Amino acid sequence: VHRKKMKIAVAGHMGQYYSGGRYHAWIWAESLAYMGNDVYFIANQEPIFIRDTTSTDYEGSLTWIISDHFDINIEGVSELDYVFMIPYRTLSNQFYYQVRNLSMRTNARLLLLNFEAPNWMNHYLHGSMDEKLWDQWRETCDSGCMVISTDRESTKFAKEYYTTNPEYTVFRECYLSLNTKIANEVPSYKKENRVVSFIRLKDKHKGSQDILKLFDPVMKGYTFIFVIGTNVKNEDFKEFEKVLIQAEDNYGISYEIKTKISDAEKYKEISRAKYLLFPSYFEGYGIPPIEAMYFNTRCIAYDLPVIHEVCGNGVTYCRYGDPEDMKNKLIALMQEDRDFPHLRDDIFEIADFEHGAERLHRILFSGLEEDWRSPFAEYLEIE
């Protein structure tokens, strides 16, 4: 891969908890620095996962800039090759207009990390998402933008959604890698009777409640591990845990709750487990099935085209939205009780950090040869 040094600003709101989208942006920022580029990460605060840095051994550089305002002067930098916008769902245009103005002022191409277009989410979630929350994503792209998604399935829906100025909109996709710099330091544990899952109770489409319908006497002696990226002292979690306590008595299972754990701790849990449950009703990509495959842990998931695209036959698929089928598939796997030693090999090219860094660098480097910026772009008035 040709390593011409690019100057790239990555701009996004960061929260205090784990978020797949925020983590995605961080891995890509590190990937670009690793490939020899100078990356400036502009955020309102440092995220929790900065402790999980993939490497300090960058050929380029990664500079953190903490600011509540995103159209800022970066010291010593008058021009950028790219400004990478990390969107979030909001009705306010302030962040979006600031980031687009930054790209114009520095003569940079604008990139939008497209997690999921609303037409795609609503295709699965029956129109339950308010599409107005995405208006700013589309509006800031209407004067020239590369919409970069994580997979072909996402791009398919993005092409239907980002249509306000097709002459100046280009679409690319790039599979997100894992933090394999840390994953490769985790020992290969002997598989134990453990079942791991990542739960998010406030987002019903993650299917966390479905896991409570899976318990069965066959599972006696198994430990179910629930990894949560936020604090758990709320009513939703208390209700969730009540069912777990009851399942301990009824089925002889046990459970453990892990909150805000590091990548090293997370990978250790996946490496020890025989199975990973992924009852999500919608995913823009789906990192946990990839992580499971990387540690030769069998993932059981609802049948989503995006998981098929990325993971192929490395996942046990269940009828969409059918916890009874998931329960039966899990029981069948437990009764068969076999190892899956080749899953890492099957997912390696997608999961490996260095491969992912090269993929992303290649897309951005080739984008320098194209001109999809609109000559009619204007600075946007921020409300």
Side-chain angles (χ1 to χ4, degrees):
V1 175
H2 184 43
R3 303 213 176 181
K4 184 259 186 194
K5 180 176 282 198
M6 294 179 280
K7 290 188 186 309
I8 302 161
V10 178
H13 271 272
M14 294 284 142
Q16 297 175 307
Y17 305 121
Y18 272 91
S19 149
R22 311 303 102 185
Y23 186 77
H24 186 156
W26 171 243
I27 290 285
W28 272 4
E30 288 214 288
S31 298
L32 291 166
Y34 176 80
M35 291 297 294
N37 304 295
D38 289 333
V39 180
Y40 306 90
F41 203 120
I42 309 167
N44 56 316
Q45 62 181 310
E46 284 188 353
I48 185 173
F49 44 77
I50 197 170
R51 64 186 176 177
D52 298 318
T53 180
T54 59
S55 168
T56 51
D57 184 24
Y58 305 131
E59 286 195 23
S61 63
L62 179 51
T63 304
W64 269 96
I65 301 170
I66 304 302
S67 172
D68 286 326
H69 195 281
F70 291 86
D71 184 9
I72 60 168
N73 289 309
I74 302 170
E75 189 177 346
V77 178
S78 58
E79 293 211 342
L80 293 162
D81 292 294
Y82 288 104
V83 169
F84 219 138
M85 181 188 289
I86 312 305
Y88 66 106
R89 295 197 290 268
T90 176
L91 294 173
S92 167
N93 66 21
Q94 189 172 30
F95 164 76
Y96 292 89
Y97 285 18
Q98 287 175 0
V99 175
R100 188 175 127 178
N101 288 349
L102 171 65
S103 75
M104 292 180 59
R105 190 168 48 76
T106 56
N107 197 32
R109 291 165 169 78
L110 182 66
L111 300 172
L112 176 82
L113 175 47
N114 172 56
F115 297 118
E116 72 289 300
N119 56 331
W120 189 20
M121 282 199 87
N122 279 330
H123 177 76
Y124 283 91
L125 305 181
H126 311 297
S128 61
M129 304 301 290
D130 181 359
E131 296 206 5
K132 286 189 175 61
L133 294 169
W134 277 266
D135 282 354
Q136 312 297 342
W137 303 34
R138 184 159 58 182
E139 190 175 337
T140 48
C141 276
D142 68 4
S143 290
C145 184
M146 178 188 285
V147 176
I148 185 164
S149 304
T150 329
D151 44 79
R152 293 191 302 273
E153 186 72 6
S154 182
T155 294
K156 182 175 81 177
F157 286 90
K159 285 179 174 177
E160 295 172 3
Y161 181 71
Y162 296 96
T163 55
T164 52
N165 202 341
E167 186 180 351
Y168 299 110
T169 310
V170 297
F171 297 90
R172 300 288 183 271
E173 61 270 336
C174 181
Y175 292 134
L176 175 67
S177 63
L178 303 183
N179 187 350
T180 52
K181 300 289 182 182
I182 288 178
N184 292 342
E185 294 172 3
V186 173
S188 183
Y189 289 91
K190 180 173 169 42
K191 294 294 184 189
E192 303 171 40
N193 286 343
R194 293 169 75 81
V195 183
V196 68
S197 53
F198 299 85
I199 64 171
R200 206 158 83 200
L201 297 176
K202 70 181 177 66
D203 290 326
K204 289 198 168 24
H205 70 269
K206 291 297 180 184
S208 303
Q209 298 290 342
D210 287 12
I211 297 169
L212 302 178
K213 302 171 185 172
L214 306 185
F215 303 125
D216 187 273
V218 168
M219 299 168 191
K220 183 177 180 179
Y222 271 84
T223 302
F224 286 75
I225 296 88
F226 297 94
V227 179
I228 306 174
T230 64
N231 290 330
V232 294
K233 293 177 181 175
N234 59 41
E235 288 305 313
D236 286 343
F237 180 75
K238 286 176 187 168
E239 291 302 312
F240 189 86
E241 193 169 29
K242 271 186 198 170
V243 181
L244 297 179
I245 292 166
Q246 202 171 9
E248 277 191 315
D249 295 338
N250 293 348
Y251 303 112
I253 65 149
S254 58
Y255 72 91
E256 296 173 11
I257 306 296
K258 310 276 183 180
T259 59
K260 296 198 283 188
I261 58 178
S262 67
D263 273 357
E265 294 170 290
K266 175 182 67 172
Y267 291 147
K268 178 182 173 183
E269 287 299 334
I270 297 172
S271 183
R272 291 172 66 191
K274 286 183 177 175
Y275 311 110
L276 184 144
L277 296 173
F278 197 64
S280 181
Y281 285 67
F282 173 80
E283 287 299 318
Y285 185 52
I287 297 172
I290 300 166
E291 293 174 323
M293 288 183 70
Y294 199 76
F295 287 99
N296 294 320
T297 297
R298 194 64 174 179
C299 175
I300 304 124
Y302 287 147
D303 197 344
L304 290 171
V306 68
I307 301 178
H308 268 287
E309 177 189 332
V310 178
C311 297
N313 295 324
V315 168
T316 295
Y317 297 101
C318 311
R319 279 193 298 273
Y320 180 77
D322 186 346
E324 187 67 23
D325 191 46
M326 183 168 279
K327 175 179 173 177
N328 293 336
K329 296 274 172 61
L330 177 58
I331 289 171
L333 284 165
M334 287 176 168
Q335 290 173 331
E336 189 181 10
D337 196 21
R338 71 181 177 92
D339 290 332
F340 296 88
H342 303 299
L343 293 177
R344 177 176 287 199
D345 292 342
D346 293 343
I347 201 68
F348 184 82
E349 194 166 319
I350 285 174
D352 178 62
F353 177 80
E354 291 187 15
H355 278 80
E358 289 180 0
R359 280 192 296 272
L360 184 60
H361 178 89
R362 193 180 297 120
I363 287 169
L364 269 59
F365 182 70
S366 63
L368 295 176
E369 304 300 315
E370 309 167 62
D371 201 359
W372 27 264
R373 288 174 295 181
S374 168
F376 310 112
E378 297 176 343
Y379 283 92
L380 297 166
E381 296 284 330
I382 297 164
E383 291 170 6

